[in-house]
Amino acid sequence: MISLVQLECFIAVAEELHFGAAATRLKMTQPPLSRQIQQLERELSTRLFDRTSRRVTLTHAGRALLPNARRLIDLAAKAVADVQSVGHGAAGTITIAYTAMAGQAVVPDLLRRATTELPGVTLLLRELVSLDQTEELEKGTVDVGLMRPLLARPQISTRLVFRERLTVAVPSDSPLAQHEGPLKLIDLKDEQLLMYSPSVARYFHDLLLSMFVASGVQPRIVQYAGQVPALLALVSAGLGFTLVPESAERITPDSVTLLPISKVDPSSRLNSVELDIAWNSESHNPLVERLLSLVNDVHHHE
């Protein structure tokens, strides 16, 4: 079996055409260098050099081997460099999962930073609801998730990265859309609520219920949906109102109007929507730490 050491010795002798000079270049003595060349010739069953007492020349076989030997050494060096880059978190692939609203609030800024700070890294993006993200993180098929706070899981670590308020989404042609100033939830007591699904969007479902309870309002729930875009579509169709994060303004159709909730409403202390970055604490992907370092600050919606 040909070794990289044999090829390096061959290249040195082929370029120097002098065993003594090649040995000096390789920081070794001449006898072991000669043995490496002899072993290589035995492996290939052919002479690579013509040697006399006065000079060393390449045979036709030696000239044929030289460019291939250089390519093999370069390829080995590149393989080492690539593996080290991945090991040090300078290259490789990282899979990021995100909720629909995280795609609006956090992902664009994260991608801009990653393009600058992690130029050798491939980012794979997957839109998943928070519960599915947790399961994928545990299985290791997702490296980092941008999700709503969930119940603690042993393997999953989280950190708050974004906080904003909820706002009221109403059909633009409804009387509520003409309301001047912030709304109180009591103003919505007779309206039809489009609610988040308790199975798919537990975080938002529980948050809205707690806010209505704090305001002394019994909401009239007429339909459930799992994601903000779906609820906005229902509002656009005139089927009722809902509460969505302020960052939803980026995807709100013209047929829907967003109205702020009064800060003196009894529910105001609960009106805080949080987004966490989550990762598997047992992950062996060195890029996870690199990516987490790009999302250090808690962002507040302005």
Side-chain angles (χ1 to χ4, degrees):
M1 180 69 69
I2 296 174
S3 72
L4 293 177
V5 172
Q6 290 171 351
L7 291 177
E8 287 177 336
C9 290
F10 166 74
I11 292 170
V13 176
E15 292 177 349
E16 300 292 340
L17 292 177
H18 189 285
F19 274 77
T24 300
R25 167 173 154 181
L26 295 172
K27 297 181 174 59
M28 63 193 301
T29 58
Q30 192 169 327
L33 172 61
S34 297
R35 285 195 296 273
Q36 291 291 342
I37 297 300
Q38 289 166 3
Q39 289 170 5
L40 179 59
E41 289 178 325
R42 280 197 298 271
E43 290 285 350
L44 297 173
S45 301
T46 188
R47 283 188 305 108
L48 300 172
F49 297 99
D50 285 325
R51 285 159 277 199
T52 69
S53 58
R54 293 189 175 183
R55 66 176 188 161
V56 176
T57 58
L58 279 166
T59 64
H60 289 297
R63 283 195 292 271
L65 176 60
L66 183 57
N68 290 310
R70 287 171 174 152
R71 278 195 290 270
L72 287 170
I73 292 298
D74 288 345
L75 184 60
K78 183 180 184 303
V80 171
D82 287 348
V83 170
Q84 288 177 336
S85 291
V86 172
H88 297 151
T93 300
I94 187 165
T95 302
I96 304 170
Y98 61 95
T99 64
M101 291 314 302
Q104 301 296 321
V106 174
V107 171
D109 182 55
L110 176 58
L111 292 181
R112 281 191 292 271
R113 294 190 190 187
T115 300
T116 302
E117 302 293 332
L118 305 174
V121 174
T122 299
L123 303 178
L124 301 180
L125 302 177
R126 296 178 60 191
E127 183 177 324
L128 295 170
V129 297
S130 297
L131 185 60
D132 289 346
Q133 285 190 43
T134 302
E135 294 174 356
E136 298 291 326
L137 283 167
E138 288 180 330
K139 290 189 293 186
T141 50
V142 162
D143 295 303
V144 171
L146 291 163
M147 61 170 65
R148 300 302 171 185
L150 292 173
L151 293 176
R153 300 276 185 105
Q155 288 176 251
I156 308 302
S157 298
T158 63
R159 190 173 75 225
L160 177 65
V161 293
F162 189 78
R163 182 184 288 122
E164 60 184 325
R165 289 174 62 83
L166 285 169
T167 186
V168 182
V170 301
S172 296
D173 58 2
S174 70
L176 277 174
Q178 310 307 315
H179 189 277
E180 293 186 7
L183 283 169
K184 291 185 177 181
L185 295 189
I186 194 69
D187 298 328
L188 304 167
K189 62 182 177 63
D190 297 323
E191 305 295 327
Q192 298 187 136
L193 173 63
L194 302 166
M195 186 55 153
Y196 292 89
S197 164
S199 59
V200 178
R202 168 64 64 180
Y203 174 81
F204 278 110
H205 176 272
D206 291 352
L207 176 58
L208 263 64
L209 282 185
S210 65
M211 289 177 64
F212 280 109
V213 168
S215 296
V217 177
Q218 179 67 43
R220 297 174 55 203
I221 300 172
V222 293
Q223 196 161 338
Y224 291 90
Q227 293 269 35
V228 169
L231 286 167
L232 287 173
L234 295 174
V235 174
S236 178
L239 301 182
F241 80 96
T242 193
L243 305 186
V244 297
E246 290 173 319
S247 57
E249 63 190 358
R250 300 167 186 170
I251 60 170
T252 299
D254 293 339
S255 53
V256 174
T257 297
L258 299 184
L259 301 169
I261 299 174
S262 172
K263 292 185 179 180
V264 299
D265 190 88
S267 69
S268 184
R269 63 181 179 82
L270 301 173
N271 189 358
S272 178
V273 181
E274 297 181 345
L275 184 74
D276 287 348
I277 189 166
W279 65 98
N280 190 321
S281 55
E282 298 178 5
S283 171
H284 298 295
N285 188 342
L287 287 171
V288 170
E289 287 297 328
R290 295 288 307 277
L291 189 76
L292 292 175
S293 70
L294 302 182
V295 198
N296 281 331
D297 303 326
V298 177
H299 300 279
H300 299 263
H301 182 82
E302 297 297 336

